[in-house]
């Protein structure tokens, strides 16, 4: 068979475009397309398989195979050669299909007489739509030119499928982005919300996949690429020299934008008949398929850089900017690959929920979502490819689930759940002014965690006794530069003003791990959670720590000041950090400035090592706050960012409770105030267990105060302590079953 030429490719695409433009139903269009491709490529068979659900392909049209097999033959993802193409997003080209690894014979199709097989994915920017196949009787491999030409055709089919050109009966030929989809992610912030999708980065729609004039399309591409390169150069010139993380991303952008191979491949696609926009998307889809198979995390991360750069180029070509003119729907749920804290704050409380493809439970976005009391689901893979602006969406932050375009039965059940939660919150409001005291008379102080001024109204509304943890890093994370001392002092002073007579515990800068400042060079650490972070950064860069404590001292304006140092691992670190604070108080006083009327200095106990510090440490520190999230991950050696292990170990494990009791006992001997701060403090069963063990102060997100207070007021904590002791004496690994059983009987 003669090799395909560029002219032949363009001719095929024009015929394909004309076929698509002719009025016809979806099935008739697919049938015409398979006949056209088989005839143009000189093959006996052309078949189109489309996904009917994320795991199943269906034969939707064929020229050459038995007509009765259409809509009857189905393959699972990865099954047979067709399923292999779909799974890996790469062509399969063989002269002897039966001898190929993974071959599966489908007797109802009559394909046993065809030896040669070429299958290419029908995909669009990471979204797998189906597989395009040609087969021949003679045993031969298709040429590189034929493979390339069929990929170009598949690209056009993907774009037309996106535009609804192949609608018909059955799931496989339903309109794209109309089916209900369930995404299983992870909890970033608890809560439930119903709303409509608002895409942080709107999809670019390509309406003209076929180009009539290759020279004109190449010229359009060249102009857009030149404009893109200039924009990247400007961003680099304007970037701060200290913003290493941002610089690295921009340098990667420049590398891609100036890549000759990238440009050459797009120009080849245009020469074969694609428009400039379709050529960009084809290269983006091909690169995505290659990089997604990479085992190197660095290479996989480059996928997002290439995606972003390609989308910028597409917007230049189509004129579709980030602002599409669409109006934000009522009850918007933000859907994004990832988002920074400043951008999320810009949306503010307008959002009902947030769904991210990436993110982490301790990320900047998660912290802001908690501050705004917005349900957040992270790791919802591929949702940005599936969701459209305005789609109905349900966010279950408690379970880490997202229902996109849900069926009515699912939506009805979800609304019942939201109504029950709202009714419960309403009942908790009546407890606002009542103490969190058990039936035994034991009083538990309930504090709230905060990090933004937006949190402070919850102080009164939730009935919290004060702010047990004010995260000071958010003011650093939302800026590209280190904030000025005066700015910080003004913010901290407003926090104290808003709190009134209620105490506020300011935690100094807790950065590192998953919280890297834009103004600091990220550290290449194999295990950042156990690396250079929190007080370790402050002690190694004392200028930042001094500046922050100066701001806190000035913010107090003569009022009492409470400061807590994070991630203290031994007594020496605490003494060094406290001396920096004490020195700054003396320096401020010597300069005639007003200093706090009283300064309390505490430590967060987040490492098991500090639980075994000398008794002198417990005598010297003014108070201790157990940082439950970190302490638990280090105690069980289970990374809380790792979904495989973070739920594996129970907070009510008897060994972990024994560690807590040891800390409680050591603080009691020194008469040192002790609190528990973290997600578990806001879970009612865990909270009453901690209270029964002897913890008298708990700090949690504002929304958890009502449920925790409600349960504490119904429980005799002394009786519960007996239940816990009895369970431990019996050899139970966890006291959870005993506690929940006893609570149910109460």
């Amino acid at each position: 068979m003669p090799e395909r030429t560029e002219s032949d490719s363009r001719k095929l695409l024009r015929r394909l475009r004309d076929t698509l433009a002719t009025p016809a139903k979806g099935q008739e269009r697919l049938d015409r397309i398979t006949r056209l491709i088989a005839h143009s490529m000189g093959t006996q068979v052309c078949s189109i398989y489309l996904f009917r659900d994320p795991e199943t392909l269906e034969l939707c049209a064929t020229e050459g195979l038995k007509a009765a097999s259409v809509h009857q033959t189905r393959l699972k993802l990865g099954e047979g050669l067709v399923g292999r193409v779909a799974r890996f997003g790469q062509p399969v080209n063989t002269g002897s299909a039966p001898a190929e690894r993974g071959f599966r014979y489908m007797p109802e199709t009559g394909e046993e007489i065809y030896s040669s097989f070429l299958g290419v994915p029908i995909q669009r920017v990471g979204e797998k739509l189906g597989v395009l196949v040609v087969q021949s009787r003679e045993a031969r491999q298709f040429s590189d030119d034929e493979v390339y030409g069929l990929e170009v055709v598949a690209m056009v089919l993907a774009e037309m499928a996106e535009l609804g050109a192949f609608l018909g009966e059955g799931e496989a030929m339903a309109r794209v982005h109309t089916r209900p989809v369930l995404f299983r992610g992870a909890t970033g912030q608890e809560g439930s919300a119903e709303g409509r999708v608002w895409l942080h980065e709107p999809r670019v729609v390509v309406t003209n996949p076929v180009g009539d004039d290759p020279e004109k399309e190449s010229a359009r591409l060249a102009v857009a690429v030149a404009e893109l390169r200039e924009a990247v150069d400007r961003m680099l010139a304007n970037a701060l020299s200290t913003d290493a993380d941002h610089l690295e991303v921009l340098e990667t952008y420049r590398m891609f934008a100036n890549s000759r191979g990238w440009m050459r491949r797009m120009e080849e696609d245009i020469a074969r008949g694609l428009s400039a926009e379709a050529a960009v998307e084809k290269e983006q889809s091909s690169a995505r398929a290659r990089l997604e198979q990479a085992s190197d995390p660095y290479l996989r991360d480059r996928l997002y850089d290439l995606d972003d750069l390609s989308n910028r180029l597409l917007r230049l070509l189509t004129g579709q900017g980030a602002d599409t003119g669409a109006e934000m729907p009522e009850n918007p749920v933000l859907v994004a690959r990832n988002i920074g804290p400043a951008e999320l704050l810009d949306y503010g409380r307008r959002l009902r929920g947030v769904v991210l493809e990436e993110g982490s439970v301790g990320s900047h976005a998660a912290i802001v979502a908690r501050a705004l009391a917005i349900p957040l689901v992270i790791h919802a893979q591929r949702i940005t490819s599936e969701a459209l602006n305005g789609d109905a969406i349900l966010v279950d932050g408690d379970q880490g689930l997202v229902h996109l375009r849900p069926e009515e039965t699912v939506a009805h059940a979800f609304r019942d759940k939201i109504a029950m939660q709202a009714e419960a919150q309403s009942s908790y409001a009546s407890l606002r002014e009542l103490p969190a005291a058990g039936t035994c008379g034991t009083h538990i102080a309930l504090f709230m965690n905060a990090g933004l001024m937006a949190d402070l109204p919850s102080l009164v509304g939730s009935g919290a006794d004060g702010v047990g943890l004010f995260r000071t890093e958010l003011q650093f994370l939302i800026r590209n530069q280190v904030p000025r001392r005066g700015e910080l002092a003004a913010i901290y002073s407003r926090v104290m003003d808003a709190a009134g007579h209620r105490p506020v515990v300011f935690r100094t800068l807790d950065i590192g791990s998953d919280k890297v400042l834009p103004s600091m060079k990220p550290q290449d650490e194999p295990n950042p959670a156990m690396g250079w972070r929190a007080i370790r950064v402050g002690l190694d860069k004392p200028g930042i720590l001094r500046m922050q404590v100066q701001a806190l001292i000035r913010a107090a304006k003569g009022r009492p000041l409470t400061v807590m140092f994070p991630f203290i691992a031994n007594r020496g670190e605490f003494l060094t950090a406290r001396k920096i604070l004490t020195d700054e108080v003396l320096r401020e006083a010597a300069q005639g400035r007003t200093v706090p009327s009283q300064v309390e200095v505490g430590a967060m106990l987040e490492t098991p090592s500090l639980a075994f510090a000398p008794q002198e440490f417990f005598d010297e520190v003014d108070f201790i706050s157990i940082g439950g999230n970190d302490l638990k991950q280090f105690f069980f050696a289970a990374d809380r960012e790792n979904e495989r292990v973070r739920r594996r170990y129970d907070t009510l494990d008897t060994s972990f409770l024994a560690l807590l009791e040891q800390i409680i006992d050591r603080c009691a001997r020194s008469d040192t105030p002790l609190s528990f701060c973290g997600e578990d403090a806001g879970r009612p069963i865990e909270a009453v267990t901690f209270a029964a063990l002897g913890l008298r102060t708990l700090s949690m997100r504002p929304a958890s105060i009502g449920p925790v207070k409600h349960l504490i007021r119904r429980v005799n904590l002394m009786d519960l302590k007996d239940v816990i002791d009895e369970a431990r004496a019996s050899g139970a690994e966890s006291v959870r079953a005993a506690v929940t059983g006893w609570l149910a009987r109460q």
Side-chain angles (χ1 to χ4, degrees), residues 128-152:
K128 295 175 179 177
L129 302 173
V131 177
L132 175 61
V133 175
V134 291
Q135 295 171 270
S136 294
R137 289 191 181 89
E138 66 271 25
R140 69 175 184 87
Q141 278 205 316
F142 291 88
S143 69
D144 291 344
D145 186 75
E146 288 172 311
V147 175
Y148 202 95
L150 199 63
E151 286 182 314
V152 171

PDB file of all heavy atoms in Angstrom, residues 128-152:
ATOM      1  N   LYS A 128     -10.395  10.448  28.404  1.00  0.00           N
ATOM      2  CA  LYS A 128     -10.457   9.309  27.478  1.00  0.00           C
ATOM      3  C   LYS A 128     -11.889   9.103  27.009  1.00  0.00           C
ATOM      4  O   LYS A 128     -12.796   8.874  27.804  1.00  0.00           O
ATOM      5  CB  LYS A 128      -9.926   8.059  28.172  1.00  0.00           C
ATOM      6  CG  LYS A 128      -8.450   8.167  28.529  1.00  0.00           C
ATOM      7  CD  LYS A 128      -7.961   6.979  29.331  1.00  0.00           C
ATOM      8  CE  LYS A 128      -6.478   7.114  29.646  1.00  0.00           C
ATOM      9  NZ  LYS A 128      -5.974   6.001  30.486  1.00  0.00           N
ATOM     10  N   LEU A 129     -12.066   9.173  25.679  1.00  0.00           N
ATOM     11  CA  LEU A 129     -13.409   9.061  25.108  1.00  0.00           C
ATOM     12  C   LEU A 129     -13.640   7.735  24.414  1.00  0.00           C
ATOM     13  O   LEU A 129     -14.771   7.277  24.314  1.00  0.00           O
ATOM     14  CB  LEU A 129     -13.642  10.207  24.119  1.00  0.00           C
ATOM     15  CG  LEU A 129     -13.505  11.623  24.698  1.00  0.00           C
ATOM     16  CD1 LEU A 129     -13.594  12.655  23.591  1.00  0.00           C
ATOM     17  CD2 LEU A 129     -14.579  11.877  25.737  1.00  0.00           C
ATOM     18  N   GLY A 130     -12.570   7.114  23.876  1.00  0.00           N
ATOM     19  CA  GLY A 130     -12.746   5.857  23.166  1.00  0.00           C
ATOM     20  C   GLY A 130     -11.487   5.444  22.425  1.00  0.00           C
ATOM     21  O   GLY A 130     -10.385   5.916  22.706  1.00  0.00           O
ATOM     22  N   VAL A 131     -11.676   4.546  21.432  1.00  0.00           N
ATOM     23  CA  VAL A 131     -10.560   4.017  20.644  1.00  0.00           C
ATOM     24  C   VAL A 131     -10.995   3.915  19.186  1.00  0.00           C
ATOM     25  O   VAL A 131     -12.117   3.482  18.889  1.00  0.00           O
ATOM     26  CB  VAL A 131     -10.117   2.625  21.156  1.00  0.00           C
ATOM     27  CG1 VAL A 131      -9.005   2.047  20.288  1.00  0.00           C
ATOM     28  CG2 VAL A 131      -9.659   2.707  22.620  1.00  0.00           C
ATOM     29  N   LEU A 132     -10.102   4.331  18.294  1.00  0.00           N
ATOM     30  CA  LEU A 132     -10.322   4.224  16.851  1.00  0.00           C
ATOM     31  C   LEU A 132      -9.419   3.116  16.319  1.00  0.00           C
ATOM     32  O   LEU A 132      -8.209   3.127  16.576  1.00  0.00           O
ATOM     33  CB  LEU A 132      -9.996   5.556  16.173  1.00  0.00           C
ATOM     34  CG  LEU A 132     -10.044   5.606  14.638  1.00  0.00           C
ATOM     35  CD1 LEU A 132     -11.441   5.268  14.114  1.00  0.00           C
ATOM     36  CD2 LEU A 132      -9.606   6.983  14.144  1.00  0.00           C
ATOM     37  N   VAL A 133      -9.993   2.142  15.568  1.00  0.00           N
ATOM     38  CA  VAL A 133      -9.244   0.955  15.128  1.00  0.00           C
ATOM     39  C   VAL A 133      -9.393   0.767  13.625  1.00  0.00           C
ATOM     40  O   VAL A 133     -10.487   0.949  13.073  1.00  0.00           O
ATOM     41  CB  VAL A 133      -9.768  -0.311  15.856  1.00  0.00           C
ATOM     42  CG1 VAL A 133      -9.083  -1.566  15.323  1.00  0.00           C
ATOM     43  CG2 VAL A 133      -9.559  -0.203  17.363  1.00  0.00           C
ATOM     44  N   VAL A 134      -8.296   0.400  12.958  1.00  0.00           N
ATOM     45  CA  VAL A 134      -8.353  -0.106  11.578  1.00  0.00           C
ATOM     46  C   VAL A 134      -7.673  -1.475  11.566  1.00  0.00           C
ATOM     47  O   VAL A 134      -6.729  -1.718  12.313  1.00  0.00           O
ATOM     48  CB  VAL A 134      -7.673   0.847  10.571  1.00  0.00           C
ATOM     49  CG1 VAL A 134      -8.470   2.131  10.416  1.00  0.00           C
ATOM     50  CG2 VAL A 134      -6.243   1.160  10.963  1.00  0.00           C
ATOM     51  N   GLN A 135      -8.179  -2.375  10.686  1.00  0.00           N
ATOM     52  CA  GLN A 135      -7.639  -3.734  10.582  1.00  0.00           C
ATOM     53  C   GLN A 135      -7.580  -4.149   9.115  1.00  0.00           C
ATOM     54  O   GLN A 135      -8.392  -3.706   8.296  1.00  0.00           O
ATOM     55  CB  GLN A 135      -8.525  -4.725  11.358  1.00  0.00           C
ATOM     56  CG  GLN A 135      -8.539  -4.492  12.866  1.00  0.00           C
ATOM     57  CD  GLN A 135      -9.578  -5.344  13.582  1.00  0.00           C
ATOM     58  OE1 GLN A 135     -10.723  -4.920  13.738  1.00  0.00           O
ATOM     59  NE2 GLN A 135      -9.189  -6.536  14.006  1.00  0.00           N
ATOM     60  N   SER A 136      -6.609  -5.006   8.828  1.00  0.00           N
ATOM     61  CA  SER A 136      -6.458  -5.525   7.462  1.00  0.00           C
ATOM     62  C   SER A 136      -6.198  -7.026   7.497  1.00  0.00           C
ATOM     63  O   SER A 136      -5.692  -7.555   8.494  1.00  0.00           O
ATOM     64  CB  SER A 136      -5.286  -4.842   6.747  1.00  0.00           C
ATOM     65  OG  SER A 136      -5.549  -3.471   6.545  1.00  0.00           O
ATOM     66  N   ARG A 137      -6.516  -7.685   6.369  1.00  0.00           N
ATOM     67  CA  ARG A 137      -6.281  -9.126   6.293  1.00  0.00           C
ATOM     68  C   ARG A 137      -4.793  -9.454   6.230  1.00  0.00           C
ATOM     69  O   ARG A 137      -4.331 -10.384   6.882  1.00  0.00           O
ATOM     70  CB  ARG A 137      -6.970  -9.712   5.048  1.00  0.00           C
ATOM     71  CG  ARG A 137      -8.481  -9.758   5.133  1.00  0.00           C
ATOM     72  CD  ARG A 137      -9.064 -10.596   3.997  1.00  0.00           C
ATOM     73  NE  ARG A 137     -10.524 -10.630   4.040  1.00  0.00           N
ATOM     74  CZ  ARG A 137     -11.317  -9.747   3.452  1.00  0.00           C
ATOM     75  NH1 ARG A 137     -10.782  -8.733   2.771  1.00  0.00           N
ATOM     76  NH2 ARG A 137     -12.623  -9.859   3.534  1.00  0.00           N
ATOM     77  N   GLU A 138      -4.052  -8.658   5.421  1.00  0.00           N
ATOM     78  CA  GLU A 138      -2.631  -8.979   5.246  1.00  0.00           C
ATOM     79  C   GLU A 138      -1.862  -8.689   6.529  1.00  0.00           C
ATOM     80  O   GLU A 138      -2.154  -7.741   7.251  1.00  0.00           O
ATOM     81  CB  GLU A 138      -2.025  -8.202   4.076  1.00  0.00           C
ATOM     82  CG  GLU A 138      -1.939  -6.685   4.242  1.00  0.00           C
ATOM     83  CD  GLU A 138      -3.177  -5.946   3.773  1.00  0.00           C
ATOM     84  OE1 GLU A 138      -4.269  -6.561   3.769  1.00  0.00           O
ATOM     85  OE2 GLU A 138      -3.047  -4.753   3.421  1.00  0.00           O
ATOM     86  N   ALA A 139      -0.865  -9.520   6.808  1.00  0.00           N
ATOM     87  CA  ALA A 139      -0.035  -9.364   8.007  1.00  0.00           C
ATOM     88  C   ALA A 139       1.040  -8.318   7.740  1.00  0.00           C
ATOM     89  O   ALA A 139       2.052  -8.602   7.099  1.00  0.00           O
ATOM     90  CB  ALA A 139       0.592 -10.708   8.384  1.00  0.00           C
ATOM     91  N   ARG A 140       0.814  -7.120   8.201  1.00  0.00           N
ATOM     92  CA  ARG A 140       1.802  -6.055   8.041  1.00  0.00           C
ATOM     93  C   ARG A 140       1.612  -5.024   9.141  1.00  0.00           C
ATOM     94  O   ARG A 140       0.527  -4.882   9.690  1.00  0.00           O
ATOM     95  CB  ARG A 140       1.641  -5.360   6.693  1.00  0.00           C
ATOM     96  CG  ARG A 140       0.357  -4.523   6.589  1.00  0.00           C
ATOM     97  CD  ARG A 140       0.284  -3.756   5.286  1.00  0.00           C
ATOM     98  NE  ARG A 140      -0.879  -2.883   5.223  1.00  0.00           N
ATOM     99  CZ  ARG A 140      -0.925  -1.641   5.683  1.00  0.00           C
ATOM    100  NH1 ARG A 140       0.144  -1.108   6.261  1.00  0.00           N
ATOM    101  NH2 ARG A 140      -2.027  -0.913   5.586  1.00  0.00           N
ATOM    102  N   GLN A 141       2.669  -4.322   9.470  1.00  0.00           N
ATOM    103  CA  GLN A 141       2.563  -3.207  10.399  1.00  0.00           C
ATOM    104  C   GLN A 141       2.240  -1.944   9.618  1.00  0.00           C
ATOM    105  O   GLN A 141       2.727  -1.757   8.502  1.00  0.00           O
ATOM    106  CB  GLN A 141       3.868  -3.028  11.176  1.00  0.00           C
ATOM    107  CG  GLN A 141       4.004  -3.966  12.376  1.00  0.00           C
ATOM    108  CD  GLN A 141       4.923  -3.385  13.425  1.00  0.00           C
ATOM    109  OE1 GLN A 141       5.962  -2.865  13.094  1.00  0.00           O
ATOM    110  NE2 GLN A 141       4.539  -3.495  14.688  1.00  0.00           N
ATOM    111  N   PHE A 142       1.441  -1.104  10.202  1.00  0.00           N
ATOM    112  CA  PHE A 142       1.136   0.172   9.571  1.00  0.00           C
ATOM    113  C   PHE A 142       2.341   1.096   9.713  1.00  0.00           C
ATOM    114  O   PHE A 142       3.089   1.048  10.704  1.00  0.00           O
ATOM    115  CB  PHE A 142      -0.111   0.792  10.213  1.00  0.00           C
ATOM    116  CG  PHE A 142      -1.378   0.039   9.905  1.00  0.00           C
ATOM    117  CD1 PHE A 142      -1.796  -1.027  10.706  1.00  0.00           C
ATOM    118  CD2 PHE A 142      -2.141   0.377   8.795  1.00  0.00           C
ATOM    119  CE1 PHE A 142      -2.953  -1.730  10.414  1.00  0.00           C
ATOM    120  CE2 PHE A 142      -3.310  -0.313   8.495  1.00  0.00           C
ATOM    121  CZ  PHE A 142      -3.716  -1.376   9.300  1.00  0.00           C
ATOM    122  N   SER A 143       2.539   1.943   8.716  1.00  0.00           N
ATOM    123  CA  SER A 143       3.698   2.842   8.720  1.00  0.00           C
ATOM    124  C   SER A 143       3.533   3.933   9.776  1.00  0.00           C
ATOM    125  O   SER A 143       2.433   4.193  10.260  1.00  0.00           O
ATOM    126  CB  SER A 143       3.858   3.494   7.342  1.00  0.00           C
ATOM    127  OG  SER A 143       2.791   4.412   7.115  1.00  0.00           O
ATOM    128  N   ASP A 144       4.642   4.571  10.136  1.00  0.00           N
ATOM    129  CA  ASP A 144       4.597   5.683  11.098  1.00  0.00           C
ATOM    130  C   ASP A 144       3.663   6.781  10.609  1.00  0.00           C
ATOM    131  O   ASP A 144       2.947   7.410  11.398  1.00  0.00           O
ATOM    132  CB  ASP A 144       6.002   6.252  11.319  1.00  0.00           C
ATOM    133  CG  ASP A 144       6.899   5.296  12.068  1.00  0.00           C
ATOM    134  OD1 ASP A 144       6.371   4.337  12.680  1.00  0.00           O
ATOM    135  OD2 ASP A 144       8.130   5.490  12.039  1.00  0.00           O
ATOM    136  N   ASP A 145       3.675   6.992   9.282  1.00  0.00           N
ATOM    137  CA  ASP A 145       2.823   8.037   8.716  1.00  0.00           C
ATOM    138  C   ASP A 145       1.351   7.688   8.888  1.00  0.00           C
ATOM    139  O   ASP A 145       0.524   8.553   9.189  1.00  0.00           O
ATOM    140  CB  ASP A 145       3.163   8.225   7.239  1.00  0.00           C
ATOM    141  CG  ASP A 145       2.407   9.393   6.632  1.00  0.00           C
ATOM    142  OD1 ASP A 145       2.789  10.544   6.918  1.00  0.00           O
ATOM    143  OD2 ASP A 145       1.432   9.137   5.902  1.00  0.00           O
ATOM    144  N   GLU A 146       1.024   6.394   8.715  1.00  0.00           N
ATOM    145  CA  GLU A 146      -0.368   5.977   8.874  1.00  0.00           C
ATOM    146  C   GLU A 146      -0.807   6.080  10.338  1.00  0.00           C
ATOM    147  O   GLU A 146      -1.934   6.497  10.622  1.00  0.00           O
ATOM    148  CB  GLU A 146      -0.531   4.544   8.376  1.00  0.00           C
ATOM    149  CG  GLU A 146      -0.448   4.432   6.852  1.00  0.00           C
ATOM    150  CD  GLU A 146      -0.423   2.994   6.392  1.00  0.00           C
ATOM    151  OE1 GLU A 146       0.370   2.207   6.938  1.00  0.00           O
ATOM    152  OE2 GLU A 146      -1.200   2.658   5.468  1.00  0.00           O
ATOM    153  N   VAL A 147       0.078   5.710  11.245  1.00  0.00           N
ATOM    154  CA  VAL A 147      -0.235   5.834  12.679  1.00  0.00           C
ATOM    155  C   VAL A 147      -0.505   7.296  13.016  1.00  0.00           C
ATOM    156  O   VAL A 147      -1.495   7.640  13.663  1.00  0.00           O
ATOM    157  CB  VAL A 147       0.917   5.288  13.546  1.00  0.00           C
ATOM    158  CG1 VAL A 147       0.634   5.548  15.029  1.00  0.00           C
ATOM    159  CG2 VAL A 147       1.116   3.798  13.303  1.00  0.00           C
ATOM    160  N   TYR A 148       0.386   8.149  12.551  1.00  0.00           N
ATOM    161  CA  TYR A 148       0.274   9.585  12.832  1.00  0.00           C
ATOM    162  C   TYR A 148      -1.023  10.141  12.239  1.00  0.00           C
ATOM    163  O   TYR A 148      -1.744  10.909  12.883  1.00  0.00           O
ATOM    164  CB  TYR A 148       1.490  10.293  12.239  1.00  0.00           C
ATOM    165  CG  TYR A 148       1.799  11.621  12.871  1.00  0.00           C
ATOM    166  CD1 TYR A 148       2.720  11.724  13.894  1.00  0.00           C
ATOM    167  CD2 TYR A 148       1.173  12.778  12.420  1.00  0.00           C
ATOM    168  CE1 TYR A 148       3.009  12.949  14.479  1.00  0.00           C
ATOM    169  CE2 TYR A 148       1.455  14.005  12.990  1.00  0.00           C
ATOM    170  CZ  TYR A 148       2.374  14.087  14.022  1.00  0.00           C
ATOM    171  OH  TYR A 148       2.658  15.297  14.587  1.00  0.00           O
ATOM    172  N   GLY A 149      -1.315   9.732  10.999  1.00  0.00           N
ATOM    173  CA  GLY A 149      -2.529  10.213  10.337  1.00  0.00           C
ATOM    174  C   GLY A 149      -3.783   9.790  11.076  1.00  0.00           C
ATOM    175  O   GLY A 149      -4.731  10.571  11.212  1.00  0.00           O
ATOM    176  N   LEU A 150      -3.800   8.539  11.578  1.00  0.00           N
ATOM    177  CA  LEU A 150      -4.975   8.066  12.306  1.00  0.00           C
ATOM    178  C   LEU A 150      -5.118   8.790  13.647  1.00  0.00           C
ATOM    179  O   LEU A 150      -6.236   9.053  14.099  1.00  0.00           O
ATOM    180  CB  LEU A 150      -4.887   6.550  12.530  1.00  0.00           C
ATOM    181  CG  LEU A 150      -6.221   5.859  12.871  1.00  0.00           C
ATOM    182  CD1 LEU A 150      -7.208   5.996  11.719  1.00  0.00           C
ATOM    183  CD2 LEU A 150      -6.010   4.390  13.221  1.00  0.00           C
ATOM    184  N   GLU A 151      -4.001   9.142  14.269  1.00  0.00           N
ATOM    185  CA  GLU A 151      -4.048   9.919  15.512  1.00  0.00           C
ATOM    186  C   GLU A 151      -4.669  11.295  15.267  1.00  0.00           C
ATOM    187  O   GLU A 151      -5.433  11.804  16.096  1.00  0.00           O
ATOM    188  CB  GLU A 151      -2.647  10.079  16.103  1.00  0.00           C
ATOM    189  CG  GLU A 151      -2.096   8.823  16.749  1.00  0.00           C
ATOM    190  CD  GLU A 151      -0.729   9.059  17.356  1.00  0.00           C
ATOM    191  OE1 GLU A 151       0.130   9.665  16.692  1.00  0.00           O
ATOM    192  OE2 GLU A 151      -0.516   8.625  18.495  1.00  0.00           O
ATOM    193  N   VAL A 152      -4.324  11.889  14.127  1.00  0.00           N
ATOM    194  CA  VAL A 152      -4.888  13.200  13.786  1.00  0.00           C
ATOM    195  C   VAL A 152      -6.405  13.085  13.613  1.00  0.00           C
ATOM    196  O   VAL A 152      -7.175  13.922  14.091  1.00  0.00           O
ATOM    197  CB  VAL A 152      -4.227  13.759  12.515  1.00  0.00           C
ATOM    198  CG1 VAL A 152      -4.955  15.004  12.026  1.00  0.00           C
ATOM    199  CG2 VAL A 152      -2.754  14.083  12.774  1.00  0.00           C
TER     200      VAL A 152
END
